[in-house]
Amino acid sequence: MARKSTIKLLLVNESDNAGEQLISIFRNAGRVARAHRAASAEELFTALKDKDDWDLLIADDYHPEIKPEQCLEQCKKAKLSLPVIILRENSGNLAELFEAGASDVIDPSDHARLCHATFREVSRHNIVRKNHSLSEHLAEAEQRCEMLLDQSQDAIAYISDGMIIGSNQLFAEIFGYSSPEELDCLPIVDMIADGDQDKFKGLLKNQLKSDDSTQFNFSGCKENGEHFDSHVQLSRAAYDDEQCVQLTIGQQSNGGENAVSMDHDPATGLYSHDYFIAQLDSHIKQAAAGTTISTAMFISIDQFGSLRRRIGISSIETVIIDIAQHIQSHTQQENCLAHYCDDGYTILLSDTGIQKALELAEALCKSIEAHIIEVRGQSLQCTVSIGVVALDGKASDPYRIIDGAFETCEQIRSEANNKHIGNSAKIHIPERERKSVGDASGDIELDQMLEEALEDNLFSLLFHPIVSLRGSSGDHYEVLVNYKDENEQLLPANKFLNQLNFQATNTRVDRWIILEATKLLSAERDKGQNICMLINLSAHALHDDGLIPWLSVALKAGDLPAEAIAFQFDEQDLNNNLSAAISFAEALQKSGCRLSVNDFGSSDEPIKLLKHTNANYVRLSNAYAEQLQSSNDTEALKAMVSSINENNCKAIIPDIQNASALAVLWQIGADFIQGDYLAGPSSEMDHEFTDIA
């Protein structure tokens, strides 16, 4: 299924919080949106200059400087096709707004209609963009045709319905005519020898359906009846707004024979390595644009090294040429077949899906296996391994695609009982190249990395049970997050996230964690489970003013009580961002959610932090449990738990490794315990809690 693109919004509204609410509305409707708010008329003017950066402009009446009518006027002056949606409670005279260029006028409370209108206008705007791009491509093609006719050193003609509708002087001279006008409306097949006419007709017919060029060796007929051998390249073109086929005949050598085409390999007569790469690159771009479905094959001769040693370097070329001719005889003319390297051939299959290509590859393996090659009186039989790869637009480097197909050939051979005789075909599924953190140039690319990582399911949630020592109501879990690195190894997500040095606040992962965790929590509570969660968040969340309002929407959507969730931050993050932490804690308290402090007790005066934030839970540093279990020293832990209780907090003691610590922890007043001795993290919230109070 195709990935839905991110909606890029230009906002003229009251505040960034209002923008976050809009983004939440679209996210709940299943679309990702990014927004930029124009803070002033000058900023709006500057933003509109970058018209390709926006999919939609949304304006309301609450911006302190800019009115929606001004937005419409600016777009009109700039001659932009950017759709504009006005949010207005009392619509008034709608006709004036629509005449001024508004795409729609919507009541801000009508979220369903807002989503529908937004998706409709974004889709329409994308169509306008595509039409504009197609118009530019058409103009370029027409200009190219004129340039080729006037300046090209090659002989060129344009064919429509089998008739010549345009040509240049050189083309006319090759066929013995004095001027291009003499060729107008002549049937092109009359200029082809009888033996080549049927094949040429088929190529002409197929060429209009293909974006690839096709090489054709033929015998031509001059006006005086004299025949000559040449080669022509057929490709799709447009001439005078008419779809046609362009014929290009390369310059001839002084000896009267055609010069060797740089597009062909002189040894085998197939397309050359460089020509194939150019064609592959073109098809990759078309696949990325969604205009074609193509497949590439790499055909590798099995045991080529030992075969060359056996028959000699001078005879191996005979094998290479013979197999090339055999593949060519079993390959349709319109497909791009190339001699890529000594023992490797490549085929580019246009308009061919991966399964059909695999069937063709398997048939080719059987055909080559049955084929007999005669080399200096010796009969040989060879086998090949074929890697098949779909061009889906995800991989952009043609060399990496071919390398991937070749790796599949090697894999086929290695799996064939180590005999190095593959004689089989297999689909190669390329991995998307992940950009390393060091390659990212700024916040935008870093955020794109996060978005791709989330869409590729590289982040996953685990739930670590927290067991009550005091018979507290409800089952408690701490939500942990893992990240799958490039080696498919799972590691705590904070090790990866700490490498992303965002300059601005970014809570993409924090919001994903909240959404996924609350979604699962809602499902469990619907089953009758009374579960509470401690959700770990990054320091960025403390600076996100829109997070709490957005959270209220998420809780409402999941029908969750606010007290079922506690957000947990590291003590160091809270101390390093104390002002933001105090504001966040106050907003969190108003929402009804709770606050938890992780790795508590590491700072010099940790209790001061509790007084500032009014935290509800405290998860102590592992060092306290280690000291207790290694030396039975309870004094420091007992004093800390007492201070925590005095500040109306519940103390969680983590990293419990044995049963002997339980009685001690109960005596010193700990509320909760956690550790692998009790239960380790799990992907499910299925721990059987028992009352050990």
Side-chain angles (χ1 to χ4, degrees), residues 100 219 289 291 338 356 360 430 459 523 579 673:
S219 179
T291 58
K356 183 178 180 182
L360 294 173
F459 289 96
S579 295
I673 55 175

Side-chain angles (χ1 to χ4, degrees), residues 33-269:
R34 293 181 185 156
H36 171 75
R37 178 178 178 268
S40 63
E42 292 78 8
E43 190 173 337
L44 174 63
F45 178 76
T46 302
L48 289 176
K49 286 184 178 180
D50 300 324
K51 57 183 180 180
D52 292 333
D53 288 348
W54 315 114
D55 295 321
L56 179 68
L57 190 155
I58 299 180
D60 62 25
D61 292 315
Y62 301 109
H63 194 286
E65 295 185 21
I66 311 171
K67 297 300 180 186
E69 288 79 3
Q70 291 176 267
C71 299
L72 297 172
E73 184 178 354
Q74 286 274 29
C75 290
K76 190 173 183 179
K77 285 182 179 179
K79 297 181 179 179
L80 298 180
S81 61
L82 181 67
V84 180
I85 291 179
I86 307 297
L87 300 181
R88 179 167 289 176
E89 294 179 3
N90 299 315
S91 301
N93 192 341
L94 294 178
E96 292 182 0
L97 291 173
F98 286 122
E99 288 174 5
S103 301
D104 210 337
V105 182
I106 300 171
D107 189 294
S109 63
D110 194 345
H111 295 173
R113 184 180 168 192
L114 174 60
C115 290
H116 174 77
T118 295
F119 302 156
R120 179 195 68 218
E121 291 304 318
V122 169
S123 177
R124 182 191 66 81
H125 189 47
N126 287 335
I127 292 173
V128 171
R129 283 171 169 164
K130 289 180 180 178
N131 287 341
H132 179 68
S133 177
L134 290 173
S135 297
E136 289 182 343
H137 291 160
L138 178 59
E140 290 172 1
E142 292 173 342
Q143 184 179 8
R144 186 163 57 250
C145 288
E146 292 297 329
M147 179 185 66
L148 287 171
L149 281 177
D150 295 339
Q151 302 177 7
S152 176
Q153 298 301 309
D154 292 329
I156 297 173
Y158 295 94
I159 314 299
S160 178
D161 294 329
M163 311 292 286
I164 299 175
I165 59 174
S167 60
N168 64 0
Q169 182 67 33
L170 187 54
F171 191 90
E173 292 175 356
I174 285 177
F175 287 91
Y177 293 86
S178 59
S179 70
E181 287 75 15
E182 295 182 61
L183 299 180
D184 288 348
C185 297
L186 280 181
I188 185 63
V189 291
D190 290 350
M191 304 165 72
I192 306 294
D194 292 345
D196 291 329
Q197 284 187 3
D198 289 341
K199 190 173 184 180
F200 185 74
K201 288 178 183 178
L203 289 178
L204 275 180
K205 182 178 180 181
N206 291 331
Q207 196 61 52
L208 283 173
K209 304 175 183 177
S210 174
D211 290 326
D212 294 330
S213 60
T214 304
Q215 296 282 347
F216 177 55
N217 296 323
F218 73 104
S219 179
C221 299
K222 295 186 177 182
E223 184 189 24
N224 60 9
E226 181 184 345
H227 284 209
F228 67 95
D229 292 330
S230 187
H231 71 276
V232 63
Q233 179 175 301
L234 297 83
S235 56
R236 282 177 58 181
Y239 187 83
D240 285 343
D241 293 330
E242 183 176 356
Q243 290 295 316
C244 62
V245 175
Q246 176 182 307
L247 305 183
T248 305
I249 299 177
Q251 284 185 315
Q252 294 185 334
S253 66
N254 293 333
E257 296 181 356
N258 292 348
V260 175
S261 170
M262 296 299 292
D263 291 345
H264 285 77
D265 171 50
T268 62

Side-chain angles (χ1 to χ4, degrees), residues 16 149 164 192 292 295-296 339 349 355 372 378 381 398 474 491 504 511 525 528 560 563 594 606 633 642 665:
D16 289 336
L149 281 177
I164 299 175
I192 306 294
T292 187
T295 309
H339 182 212
L349 304 170
Q355 290 302 326
I372 298 174
Q378 182 181 2
Q381 286 181 286
L491 67 155
R511 291 180 180 234
R525 291 182 71 94
L560 290 171
E563 62 271 14
R594 300 177 181 183
D633 184 0
S642 177
L665 291 173

